Amino acid sequence: MHLLTGFILALLVSALLRATIPERPLLAAILPAVAAAGLLAFFASELLSMEFWAGGVGFVAILSALLVVMHPNPMVSVLFLILHLFCIALFYLMLQAQALAALQVIVYAGAIMVLFVFVIMLLNLRAEEGLRLGGGVQRIGALSVGALFAGLMFWAIRNRRDHPFFAPDALVEGFGTARQLGWLLYGKYLFAFEAASILLLAAMVGAVVLAKRRLQ
Amino acid sequence: MEREVLQVGLEAAIKIALFLFVMLTTVAYMTWVERRVSAWIQDRRGPNRVGPFGLLQPLADGVKFLFKETIVPPFVYKPVYVLAPALIFVPALVTFSVVPFGPTLHAFGRDIRLQIADVDNGILIVLAFASMGVYGVALAGWSSNNKYSLMGGLRSSAQLISYELAMGVAVIGVLMATGSLRLGDVVAHQEAYGWNVLWQLPGFLIFLVAAFAETNRLPFDLPEADSELVAGYHTEYSGMWFSMFYMAEYANMITASALIVTLYFGGYNVPGLRLLGLPEPVAVATQVIAFGLKVAFFLFLYVWVRWTIPRFRYDQLMNLGWKVLLPIGLGHVLWVSFLVLRGWA
């Protein structure tokens, strides 16, 4: 984990330098680059470890999720949401669920986010209209729910069963392939799957009825 | 362990470097082919001054683009404006990584698969990255802050979503026949049972039309439609960034052609090659060349269609996608599943 922690620290130092001494942008670029090169020389063997990549993707995922909420421009928020969804797909991949990773990219990053982009382009939202913080009540509510969630996560991680993070041997044969996914969806969970599809159909019909004021 | 990782990494690096070289050279020469073939179709001469037959024209063009001033208009949203050309270029290159361009080669004591990434879910990866291509166009249009560009971006996002659906439905036929999402298996299946195009003609035609729409080529180039939108989504781009869009268009065409060949025309497979009993390196080379020739034919088809069929109107485009291609595609899926269930496929 030294390599990853070092990289993140270098990135933070770079951001701090850029914020405090903006008149010398070269300094903010060179110092962290030197630090990163040194780290790479010392801990090169960690490049092959799963922890490094999982942690790196996790860091990017959290950073992009934060930027989704905090960036003033709605279009940039959407771009960071796409990046975030990509990170989640990478997590699926690392957990050997390859079909799910591809589906995540097709459905979320590919189809749903295009609709987001489309709507933002149609409404022509500008940066200044994007960020409108709520009042005191909303802030307190958000903070308390956030704290609750953080506590839950902390509790869950503390009490996790002692599996290693990455254990491909513990999986069943053919885990994560489209074949396995299909067997589960159309065999074991057929009823739930069909019920969900009927729900979606009902939602679609409802949307069409609502969108078309007068049905001829 | 470390040694094996190094070997695999080296093999992958060599394959990627070779692939990039071939791909980018082909992209450069496609610009020449397009201009020469269009000239031939229109009974002109085309670029024939730089080098023999104008063969050095792409080089001259590249130098010109590199030395042109890149003008960034003051009203654009710069972070996204800079990102967009890369966003359209990268998916085209990534998609190709799952396409097998040759059989397994036994050399240096290793089995070298002539494919960059032999993944289980090849077809899903293809669809995933095909749907990524829309962001480049849509974001270029939005960040340019120009109404023509915005119209181009909007059109492109609607068009790509509509045709992706038809494309996915067409691919289901191939998938059911093969029983696997791995593109290597798709080729192997066609080697054993004949090319898919022979009995999946509707699926092939839908895929072909959708591929034209996905690459924004005429008759579906509405996102740039020069007669209505100046140049659509890349109106505000200049210099090398503008040429990135062009390179992306040709890279997309090459990838789409390779996919058509892999899914419907047997990939690198040459019928009857095994009967000749050639030594292995020769056979492998023949198959790689056959793959290249098949792809070249579809690239030619792209150019041929561009200078033959006029641009669709936007409502015609949407009608074709949703009311013609999609129902035919669904019918095709039913038909293929009937054949597969009866064990005839």
Side-chain angles (χ1 to χ4, degrees):
Chain A
M1 294 308 278
H2 300 292
L3 189 58
L4 183 64
T5 329
F7 274 162
I8 293 175
L9 277 178
L11 210 65
L12 281 178
V13 169
S14 159
L16 266 179
L17 278 179
R18 190 173 282 214
T20 45
I21 5 178
E23 65 275 8
R24 307 185 67 176
L26 221 59
L27 195 70
I30 289 175
L31 268 186
V34 170
L39 280 167
L40 212 55
F42 264 103
F43 302 108
S45 61
E46 280 191 28
L47 271 183
L48 289 179
S49 74
M50 205 64 194
E51 278 83 0
F52 171 72
W53 293 105
V57 174
F59 177 69
V60 175
I62 293 173
L63 198 68
S64 54
L66 279 176
L67 281 166
V68 172
V69 226
M70 285 159 63
H71 203 279
N73 193 321
M75 192 57 111
V76 179
S77 285
V78 167
L79 287 184
F80 276 113
L81 189 50
I82 296 168
L83 182 64
H84 179 71
L85 293 168
F86 250 102
C87 289
I88 293 177
L90 282 179
F91 271 127
Y92 288 144
L93 209 57
M94 282 189 255
L95 296 169
Q96 303 277 297
Q98 329 150 12
L100 203 58
L103 289 179
Q104 164 88 8
V105 175
I106 293 175
V107 174
Y108 284 99
I112 294 181
M113 295 318 292
V114 173
L115 286 183
F116 277 50
V117 170
F118 193 72
V119 168
I120 288 177
M121 277 165 75
L122 264 186
L123 299 179
N124 210 3
L125 291 176
R126 290 280 154 229
E128 58 269 24
E129 302 165 36
L131 195 65
R132 221 177 268 138
L133 285 173
V137 182
Q138 196 183 344
R139 255 183 226 194
I140 292 166
L143 276 179
S144 51
V145 171
L148 192 70
F149 182 70
L152 263 177
M153 286 302 286
F154 187 68
W155 178 78
I157 292 169
R158 280 290 295 275
N159 291 319
R160 71 181 175 145
R161 279 174 293 160
D162 242 357
H163 278 311
F165 173 75
F166 177 66
D169 303 330
L171 303 170
V172 285
E173 177 70 26
F175 176 85
T177 56
R179 189 180 295 272
Q180 190 79 10
L181 202 68
W183 271 116
L184 285 179
L185 275 185
Y186 294 101
K188 195 173 173 189
Y189 299 112
L190 179 67
F191 179 74
F193 181 73
E194 293 299 332
S197 70
I198 288 173
L199 188 68
L200 281 178
L201 183 66
M204 208 161 76
V205 172
V208 170
V209 170
L210 282 178
K212 264 200 158 180
R213 285 287 166 76
R214 289 175 292 122
L215 285 175
Q216 281 98 6
Chain B
M1 159 75 190
E2 291 241 322
R3 194 183 153 76
E4 195 182 339
V5 168
L6 267 182
Q7 274 184 348
V8 171
L10 190 67
E11 188 190 320
I14 291 173
K15 277 195 277 194
I16 291 171
L18 259 178
F19 157 70
L20 277 181
F21 175 73
V22 172
M23 182 78 159
L24 294 179
T25 312
T26 318
V27 164
Y29 273 91
M30 269 314 286
T31 61
W32 177 80
V33 167
E34 173 119 55
R35 291 161 74 184
R36 290 290 289 196
V37 172
S38 68
W40 174 61
I41 289 174
Q42 295 173 337
D43 214 4
R44 297 184 282 117
R45 287 203 185 277
N48 62 355
R49 285 286 172 269
V50 194
F53 305 106
L55 271 173
L56 295 178
Q57 185 73 39
L59 241 72
D61 284 347
V63 171
K64 179 193 161 200
F65 270 125
L66 277 175
F67 283 104
K68 272 207 156 189
E69 186 188 358
T70 306
I71 301 164
V72 182
F75 45 80
V76 301
Y77 186 67
K78 204 169 169 200
V80 179
Y81 177 86
V82 177
L83 191 66
L87 274 185
I88 186 171
F89 198 35
V90 169
L93 295 181
V94 175
T95 313
F96 206 106
S97 66
V98 296
V99 176
F101 49 86
T104 310
L105 178 68
H106 304 282
F108 310 114
R110 298 177 55 82
D111 294 346
I112 300 172
R113 192 103 184 75
L114 292 184
Q115 181 181 15
I116 292 171
D118 187 17
V119 289
D120 268 336
N121 300 302
I123 292 179
L124 288 183
I125 302 275
V126 166
L127 290 178
F129 281 97
S131 60
M132 288 295 106
V134 58
Y135 289 119
V137 182
L139 291 173
W142 175 79
S143 65
S144 293
N145 224 342
N146 164 330
K147 45 185 111 145
Y148 296 117
S149 299
L150 188 70
M151 279 303 293
L154 275 175
R155 281 182 176 188
S156 127
S157 40
Q159 170 179 333
L160 287 183
I161 284 196
S162 313
Y163 279 79
E164 240 160 56
L165 221 62
M167 196 177 212
V169 168
V171 170
I172 290 177
V174 174
L175 197 158
M176 280 195 301
T178 316
S180 165
L181 288 164
R182 189 190 288 263
L183 284 172
D185 290 349
V186 173
V187 175
H189 181 267
Q190 293 181 75
E191 204 166 347
Y193 299 99
W195 294 359
N196 278 333
V197 66
L198 297 176
W199 59 285
Q200 295 209 7
L201 199 60
F204 160 64
L205 290 176
I206 293 169
F207 193 89
L208 187 71
V209 174
F212 272 82
E214 292 271 317
T215 45
N216 290 328
R217 287 284 295 190
L218 264 158
F220 305 117
D221 71 334
L222 285 118
E224 46 176 305
D226 4 21
S227 54
E228 313 153 30
L229 297 182
V230 190
Y233 59 93
H234 55 52
T235 306
E236 300 290 353
Y237 283 85
S238 55
M240 204 58 208
W241 288 352
F242 169 75
S243 94
M244 279 282 276
F245 281 111
Y246 256 72
M247 284 160 66
E249 180 173 324
Y250 288 111
N252 268 315
M253 277 163 58
I254 294 168
T255 303
S257 305
L259 280 174
I260 294 171
V261 167
T262 306
L263 291 174
Y264 292 98
F265 284 82
Y268 51 79
N269 163 35
V270 181
L273 186 71
R274 197 159 285 169
L275 302 177
L276 290 176
L278 294 170
E280 202 217 326
V282 181
V284 169
T286 317
Q287 282 170 311
V288 173
I289 291 171
F291 180 76
L293 286 178
K294 288 179 198 175
V295 171
F297 170 74
F298 280 98
L299 287 175
F300 176 74
L301 184 74
Y302 262 107
V303 178
W304 189 7
V305 167
R306 172 171 179 180
W307 299 100
T308 309
I309 301 176
R311 182 179 300 128
F312 275 47
R313 230 171 41 225
Y314 198 68
D315 57 319
Q316 290 172 328
L317 174 91
M318 283 292 139
N319 278 342
L320 181 69
W322 290 99
K323 294 184 184 165
V324 180
L325 292 186
L326 194 59
I328 295 179
L330 291 173
H332 175 68
V333 167
L334 279 180
W335 167 240
V336 173
S337 52
F338 172 72
L339 288 181
V340 170
L341 274 181
R342 296 299 300 261
W344 289 342

